[in-house]
DNA sequence: TATTGTTATACTCTATAACTATA
DNA sequence: TATAGTTATAGAGTATAACAATA
């Protein structure tokens, strides 16, 4: 940082990561437009694909606000990609499951996404992609993320 | 991709990148709260720090909408971190420059950010951080990003 | 009283278009 | 007519709190 070049400043690594992360998010969003899904809808379907779960469990998996999940599930249910039914054992609970149509959309979206990902990372060899994954998995995403109210 | 484990699905690399990019963005935002800056305010100051420029030039550098830049500069000018003056050569233009106070805030923010970045990447050696930077710089952030209207 | 899910509301960000003043 | 900057407005996304049903 002390030794900077003449006119060009080196962008901080965190800024670079944030910028390209936003780019990846935008890429995902665009790739999924043809499926009528947002990245979050897709992640929801992905979790549902492993079996029925309560909304509470989904909230934990997706790390979203309960009210956000309600909206997501309303969309999926309207399009008949998922459905809610009461848990007979605890009638407060909703058990959410994916429909066959939902599973189909998920599979198609997975293919579309694989192609889009391929384009995004064409300039990285498979080895380098694995390396990138490992490096990303070793950054401290949530060290003091608990102090999130404000300070 | 074909060979997945029993219950765990491997998260797509693009999803991983988007997720950790959002994490980095949140970290930046929190680290800068004490400066009263958002990451974008800081980027603006960083560009201004290399010399006075027109708003049009800033729009290109920051890749934001002109109306967004207006709001950013209003904030910075209210806090006397930057100022606008008319370009005598073309009175439509505003020449924007950083103030001494703005340069001071920028320097302090740079230090704060260096510390926060250090924490974010503690588990990566300097070599690995350079490697991560190189890998990030080689992903295709804007291949068909021009087709952004909708399709 | 606590928990699950829902609704309503407000706040931030962003995108768009209309407007002004200059050229 | 085109350009630089501004303003106003609407839309998406998110966060919060109040609420109904059930435990």
């Amino acid at each position: 940082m002390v030794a900077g070049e003449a006119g060009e400043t080196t962008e901080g690594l965190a800024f670079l990561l944030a910028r390209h992360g936003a780019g990846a998010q935008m890429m995902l969003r665009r790739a999924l437009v043809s499926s009528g899904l947002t990245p979050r809808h897709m992640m929801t379907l992905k979790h549902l694909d492993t079996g029925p779960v309560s909304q509470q469990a989904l909230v934990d998996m997706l790390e979203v606000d309960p009210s956000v999940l309600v909206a997501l599930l309303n969309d999926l249910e309207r399009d008949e990609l998922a459905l809610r039914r009461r848990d007979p054992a605890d009638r407060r609970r909703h058990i959410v499951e994916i429909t066959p149509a939902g599973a189909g959309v998920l599979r198609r979206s997975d293919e579309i996404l694989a192609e889009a990902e391929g384009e995004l990372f064409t300039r990285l060899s498979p080895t380098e992609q694995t390396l990138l994954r490992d490096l990303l998995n070793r950054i401290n995403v949530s060290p003091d993320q608990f102090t999130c109210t404000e300070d």
Side-chain angles (χ1 to χ4, degrees), chain A:
Chain A
M1 280 300 173
V2 179
E5 297 114 47
E8 274 296 322
T9 324
T10 308
E11 185 181 23
L13 186 50
F15 274 110
L16 182 66
L17 178 56
R19 200 158 54 80
H20 285 192
Q25 173 75 9
M26 199 174 338
M27 180 281 280
L28 290 172
R29 187 170 298 278
R30 288 201 188 120
L32 288 174
V33 164
S34 59
S35 306
L37 300 178
T38 65
R40 221 160 239 186
H41 286 113
M42 167 134 185
M43 283 307 293
T44 308
L45 286 182
K46 255 182 151 36
H47 284 297
L48 291 179
D49 200 41
T50 67
V53 283
S54 72
Q55 294 191 198
Q56 189 58 46
L58 273 176
V59 157
D60 293 338
M61 292 176 189
L62 294 168
E63 295 181 305
V64 297
D65 194 86
S67 63
V68 170
L69 180 64
V70 168
L72 283 170
L73 291 180
N74 287 348
D75 294 339
L76 293 176
E77 208 164 27
R78 167 177 42 74
D79 296 343
E80 302 184 321
L81 307 179
L83 57 86
R84 288 182 260 220
R85 55 183 178 78
R86 287 273 167 205
D87 182 348
D90 181 345
R91 289 188 42 72
R92 290 173 305 181
R93 276 204 178 87
H94 277 164
I95 302 296
V96 191
E97 47 190 314
I98 196 168
T99 65
V105 167
L106 177 58
R107 249 187 313 280
R108 219 161 350 106
S109 301
D110 259 329
E111 288 165 19
I112 291 172
L113 231 58
E115 190 178 347
E117 265 193 0
E119 254 180 65
L120 189 65
F121 300 115
T122 18
R123 289 158 65 197
L124 299 186
S125 71
T127 308
E128 286 171 328
Q129 292 184 27
T130 304
L131 186 53
L132 176 58
R133 178 187 294 276
D134 292 343
L135 291 174
L136 287 175
N137 275 325
R138 270 163 55 216
I139 73 174
N140 288 340
V141 266
S142 51
D144 47 340
Q145 207 132 323
F146 322 110
T147 327
C148 57
T149 41
E150 60 183 338
D151 50 341

